[in-house]
Amino acid sequence: MKWLGFLIHAAVFLALTLLTQIGGLVYLLAWALTFNIRRFLPRQFWRVVLFLTLYVGALFAAREMAPVYGRVPLPCLEGEQREFRMQSPIYCLLNRNYVRPEVRSMILDLAIHMNREFPGTITLGLDANFPFFDGFPLFPHLSHDDGRKLDLAFYYRDDKGYLPGVSASPVGYWAFAAAPDHLLCPAQRPWHSPRWDMAWFQQYNRGLSVDLDRTKAALNWLLAAGEAHGLEKIFLEPSLQKKWGISGGVVRFQGCNAARHDDHIHLQLGD
Ligand SMILES: [Zn+2]
């Protein structure tokens, strides 16, 4: 059954690499360093302990080394930056919060603007890029591979008003603000199309509405001030462009062969 063990290790390596970029290498290192250990407790125990220890070290090392590759981390924790943070610290634990300095500068300017216009507003980031290497995609996004891309969460509210730092979906994505647009893109799509409707996931979303005042204000700021920061494209589903009166300029439809963009805003800077 040696081949089964090899397959399991290969699958873990692949999954960790796709999810975190550096996790697969850390796993290989932990596996190699514990290969001959047989003391006190099973080898798997030491392997997990060593993996977690090395992974935490690698997270800090990535933060220090990313600038060599032209990337900087976006703020992760409450209090680090009052107006902006990643939607969940998990994005940072998975190394998915890296951008070029120009993107960070634009997004912090947006967040400060939003907090000035609507005091108490927190702008939330979703998937950005990994810390190293242009051309290494951030699974499952096809294009987040060069530090120039960032997804932003919509702002949300309940009956009583705006909810700071809260999003409708526990993971930030897949709380769709519109119905599936099958006139735009046919319901029957190839198996590899990432235009998922995520019907099974909808039960996990909180019943919140998009805070239109804030979300539209953020989009309008990006349309007005984004160009000075090098903003090249904003992806937003055409039905929302129409409904919210946000169109033209850098606002685009991402095409049918990409994820739906009625649950988040995709931004990308030019070269
Ligand atoms: Zn995106």
Side-chain angles (χ1 to χ4, degrees), residues 4-54:
L4 183 63
F6 173 78
L7 275 186
I8 291 171
H9 287 309
V12 174
F13 171 81
L14 189 65
L16 286 169
T17 302
L18 287 176
L19 271 177
T20 71
Q21 191 176 46
I22 57 174
L25 280 179
V26 174
Y27 180 78
L28 270 190
L29 189 60
W31 180 83
L33 291 174
T34 52
F35 194 71
N36 284 321
I37 286 189
R38 280 189 185 78
R39 287 190 188 182
F40 312 123
L41 289 162
R43 189 190 305 158
Q44 276 73 11
F45 171 80
W46 295 115
R47 194 163 279 165
V48 170
V49 169
L50 190 63
F51 169 76
L52 292 175
T53 309
L54 290 175

Side-chain angles (χ1 to χ4, degrees), residues 127-128 141 143-144 149-152 173 235 261 264-268:
D127 268 337
H141 307 267
S143 72
H144 289 227
K149 322 287 168 35
L150 172 65
D151 291 343
L152 278 188
Y173 291 93
F235 288 155
H261 283 70
H264 71 279
I265 303 163
H266 168 98
L267 308 174
Q268 69 184 68

Side-chain angles (χ1 to χ4, degrees), residues 9-256:
H9 287 309
V12 174
F13 171 81
L14 189 65
L16 286 169
T17 302
L18 287 176
L19 271 177
T20 71
Q21 191 176 46
I22 57 174
L25 280 179
V26 174
Y27 180 78
L28 270 190
L29 189 60
W31 180 83
L33 291 174
T34 52
F35 194 71
N36 284 321
I37 286 189
R38 280 189 185 78
R39 287 190 188 182
F40 312 123
L41 289 162
R43 189 190 305 158
Q44 276 73 11
F45 171 80
W46 295 115
R47 194 163 279 165
V48 170
V49 169
L50 190 63
F51 169 76
L52 292 175
T53 309
L54 290 175
Y55 187 76
V56 171
L59 281 181
F60 285 105
R63 222 178 146 86
E64 296 303 313
M65 285 169 61
V68 176
Y69 293 82
R71 313 266 169 101
V72 288
L74 288 169
C76 295
L77 301 172
E78 261 178 74
E80 203 177 332
Q81 171 89 30
R82 188 161 50 102
E83 303 90 352
F84 177 91
R85 66 167 183 266
M86 300 301 284
Q87 188 262 352
S88 159
I90 292 171
Y91 284 98
C92 305
L93 289 175
L94 299 179
N95 268 320
R96 301 170 79 95
N97 62 316
Y98 286 86
V99 289
R100 289 192 187 183
E102 312 88 88
V103 179
R104 182 166 74 174
S105 148
M106 179 181 76
I107 224 61
L108 295 185
D109 279 1
L110 165 70
I112 288 166
H113 165 81
M114 289 301 294
N115 193 52
R116 198 184 303 129
E117 290 294 305
F118 303 92
T121 296
I122 300 171
T123 299
L124 296 177
L126 303 173
D127 268 337
N129 308 259
F130 285 135
F132 308 122
F133 308 124
D134 284 354
F136 193 112
L138 184 96
F139 181 80
H141 307 267
L142 303 177
S143 72
H144 289 227
D145 66 349
D146 55 10
R148 296 189 287 117
K149 322 287 168 35
L150 172 65
D151 291 343
L152 278 188
F154 295 151
Y155 303 83
Y156 289 94
R157 55 171 295 136
D158 64 9
D159 297 345
K160 296 189 191 79
Y162 167 65
L163 297 164
V166 173
S167 49
S169 156
V171 297
Y173 291 93
W174 308 324
F176 300 110
D181 191 344
H182 292 151
L183 286 175
L184 184 70
C185 298
Q188 298 301 322
R189 290 181 297 277
W191 64 269
H192 51 80
S193 166
R195 196 179 161 80
W196 304 317
D197 292 331
M198 301 301 287
W200 63 271
F201 185 83
Q202 300 310 305
Q203 59 185 312
Y204 302 110
N205 290 330
R206 306 174 182 109
L208 303 177
S209 317
V210 175
D211 186 304
L212 284 181
D213 290 346
R214 285 171 177 78
T215 304
K216 283 162 71 171
L219 285 162
N220 279 321
W221 184 91
L222 288 164
L223 273 171
E227 207 179 330
H229 289 272
L231 183 62
E232 185 184 63
K233 286 179 191 167
I234 298 173
F235 288 155
L236 187 67
E237 207 67 12
S239 57
L240 292 188
Q241 292 181 29
K242 200 170 161 209
K243 201 162 131 190
W244 296 350
I246 305 279
S247 58
V250 294
V251 179
R252 311 275 163 81
F253 169 46
Q254 70 283 353
C256 289

